[in-house]
Amino acid sequence: MKKIKTRDRILDISLQLFNSHGEPNVTTLLISDELDISPGNLYYHFKSKGDIVEELFDSYEADMLDLLEVPEDADVPLDQFSFFLHLLFETVARYRFMYQDLVNVLSRYSQLQVRFRRILKKKNQAFHYLCESFRRQNIMEVEAAELESVCQQLTLTVCYWSSFDTLSHLDDRESVDPGKGVYQTLHLILPYLAEEAKEQIRLTSEAYL
């Protein structure tokens, strides 16, 4: 059995603690206690909690940018759209500590602000490409002037769903259901779909409840 490196254990436990308690409420002392290592051992790998947050953000950014590489001219089937949302909300859930306290986290770690804005822009662009694909396939009817507003609403839902969901169970931050986010996002495009596509999305979305 392969032994997990101390550095990786620190990152794994830190992510769990940040998600469970909120990043501001987690100290390096709590992390070292949870790992049963000395603060000096943790300091050997990470000089501050900020260094841990930044490395976790590196992993989040890599996962998200890889997922958001949506081809501009591809004709994407509706079932792939729901799978895309599934992966997107799972990624948000995995790094939900950032989304649950987004403004404060980015205020404390200002070096991450530009990078997060880049991800937001890529999300909006990905939704734009997907909706344009549906329009080309005649399964979505939305005026060009309204399309940007729809894409921004999709982006907003992905970005702030985690905070909204957490408000319903503040006493249990371990409880997370990415499927509900997928359901809500699918229903945002429902009014713009052709009748056959509407039925497909209704059936797909019900599987996420």
Side-chain angles (χ1 to χ4, degrees), residues 162-196:
S162 181
S163 294
F164 175 80
D165 185 47
T166 300
L167 285 173
S168 66
H169 46 77
L170 285 172
D171 57 335
D172 182 15
R173 293 177 68 137
E174 290 295 321
S175 176
V176 56
D177 187 359
K180 289 182 179 179
V182 176
Y183 177 89
Q184 293 295 333
T185 308
L186 287 172
H187 276 252
L188 285 175
I189 68 166
L190 196 63
Y192 304 99
L193 298 179
E195 285 305 316
E196 187 175 337

Side-chain angles (χ1 to χ4, degrees), residues 81-93:
F81 178 62
S82 59
F83 184 60
F84 167 77
L85 290 177
H86 179 90
L87 295 176
L88 195 58
F89 275 98
E90 279 199 338
T91 303
V92 169

